[in-house]
């Protein structure tokens, strides 16, 4: 370092600061990972993780852009510790340099600060999601078409569940598994329906805000994509 300082005619302390003491420029590192701002990339390096994270965000996520640095928060129930890990892993794979876990009553807010989150989640906006349009960008359709199963995994891990349905027919009780997805946004419900149709998985609406996957072959097919959140 001394030789470098002499060569550039700068004080040794200045060169040392540049080389060792200067904090890592996390803002620049985040910018370098934003595939929307990098024409040489143009596509997420981990498309499956992006599709999964988008599903989680549309279900239980919130992107705050009013602060100095935007922050993405996704809320995961304490009952599903594995889901918390999956959420953090997806954030790191897509963009985050660091992820924090903030304990709330009954849930954990998994959050990450980053200037470029709005680039990757253009569905953000003021107000509740079901009170405003949720429209995918063209580049998002391309990703989700190739990663529909991972997108469904994010949706069902956030606003869905796999339950044992019990019915009685002519006095005989039957128990069978089925998936439920509940969301107040007609646009988000439509995205779930679209992804299921794309994979050939049968579904039906049992309420205006509730979708059911109950046929045996459909449940088996969805099991291959969603899996337990545990």
């Amino acid at each position: 370092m001394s030789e470098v300082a002499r060569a550039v005619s700068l004080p040794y302390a200045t060169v040392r600061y540049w080389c060792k003491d200067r904090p890592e420029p996390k803002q620049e590192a985040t910018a370098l990972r934003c595939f929307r701002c990098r024409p040489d990339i143009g596509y997420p390096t981990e498309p499956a993780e992006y599709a999964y994270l988008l599903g989680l965000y549309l279900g239980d996520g919130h992107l705050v852009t009013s602060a100095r640095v935007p922050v993405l928060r996704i809320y995961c129930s304490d009952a599903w510790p594995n889901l918390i890990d999956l959420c953090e892993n997806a954030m790191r794979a897509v963009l985050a340099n660091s992820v924090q876990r903030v304990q709330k009553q009954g849930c954990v807010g998994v959050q990450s600060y980053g200037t470029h989150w709005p680039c990757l989640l253009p569905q953000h906006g003021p107000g509740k999601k079901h009170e405003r349009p949720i429209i995918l960008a063209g580049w998002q359709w391309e990703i989700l078409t190739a990663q529909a199963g991972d997108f469904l995994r994010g949706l069902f891990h956030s606003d869905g569940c796999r339950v044992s349905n019990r019915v009685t027919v002519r006095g005989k009780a039957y128990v069978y598994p089925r998936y439920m997805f509940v969301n107040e946004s007609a646009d988000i419900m439509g995205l779930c329906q679209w992804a299921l149709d794309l994979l050939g998985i049968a579904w039906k609406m049992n309420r205006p805000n509730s979708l059911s996957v109950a046929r045996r072959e459909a449940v088996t097919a969805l099991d291959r994509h969603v899996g337990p959140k545990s």
Side-chain angles (χ1 to χ4, degrees):
M1 248 182 289
S2 299
E3 293 179 0
V4 173
R6 286 194 295 270
V8 297
S9 300
L10 287 173
Y12 172 82
T14 301
V15 175
R16 179 177 172 21
Y17 170 74
W18 285 351
C19 296
K20 295 185 65 177
D21 296 339
R22 191 176 184 181
E24 180 185 355
K26 292 189 175 181
Q27 178 67 31
E28 295 177 12
T30 302
L32 291 174
R33 298 190 65 197
C34 178
F35 62 90
R36 295 297 300 157
C37 296
R38 289 279 304 276
D40 57 320
I41 299 178
Y43 198 78
T45 55
E46 299 287 348
E49 294 287 2
Y50 175 80
Y52 177 62
L53 184 64
L54 179 60
L56 290 179
Y57 163 73
L58 291 178
D60 288 326
H62 181 52
L63 179 57
V64 180
T65 58
S66 57
R68 184 175 64 86
V69 179
V71 55
L72 171 63
R73 294 190 179 99
I74 296 176
Y75 297 95
C76 306
S77 171
D78 287 339
W80 313 112
N82 185 53
L83 173 58
I84 298 171
D85 292 337
L86 291 172
C87 180
E88 176 175 341
N89 292 342
M91 284 186 180
R92 291 184 183 277
V94 172
L95 185 71
N97 284 310
S98 63
V99 178
Q100 301 82 42
R101 300 185 183 191
V102 181
Q103 184 64 53
K104 305 287 185 178
Q105 185 174 359
C107 69
V108 172
V110 183
Q111 66 179 34
S112 169
Y113 288 84
T115 301
H116 289 264
W117 280 122
C119 305
L120 306 185
L121 299 170
Q123 286 67 43
H124 69 87
K128 300 176 181 178
K129 296 190 191 79
H130 68 275
E131 295 176 347
R132 54 186 171 85
I134 300 295
I135 302 172
L136 295 185
W139 57 268
Q140 289 177 303
W141 283 115
E142 181 181 349
I143 295 169
L144 297 190
T145 298
Q147 308 292 337
D150 295 287
F151 178 57
L152 285 173
R153 186 163 59 98
L155 290 177
F156 277 92
H157 277 189
S158 57
D159 278 344
C161 62
R162 188 184 192 276
V163 298
S164 295
N165 197 46
R166 292 173 172 80
V167 297
T168 302
V169 179
R170 300 186 183 91
K172 186 175 181 180
Y174 296 88
V175 180
Y176 63 92
R178 73 169 176 172
Y179 281 92
M180 302 293 298
F181 177 73
V182 179
N183 195 290
E184 296 297 329
S185 167
D187 289 340
I188 295 175
M189 183 63 72
L191 290 173
C192 182
Q193 296 167 351
W194 165 80
L196 289 168
D197 287 342
L198 191 64
L199 296 175
I201 298 173
W203 55 270
K204 68 176 182 178
M205 299 297 295
N206 58 326
R207 293 195 307 274
N209 67 340
S210 177
L211 176 149
S212 170
V213 175
R215 292 184 182 177
R216 180 181 300 176
E217 65 277 10
V219 171
T220 300
L222 197 52
D223 279 341
R224 291 196 292 267
H225 297 287
V226 176
K229 49 187 175 183
S230 63

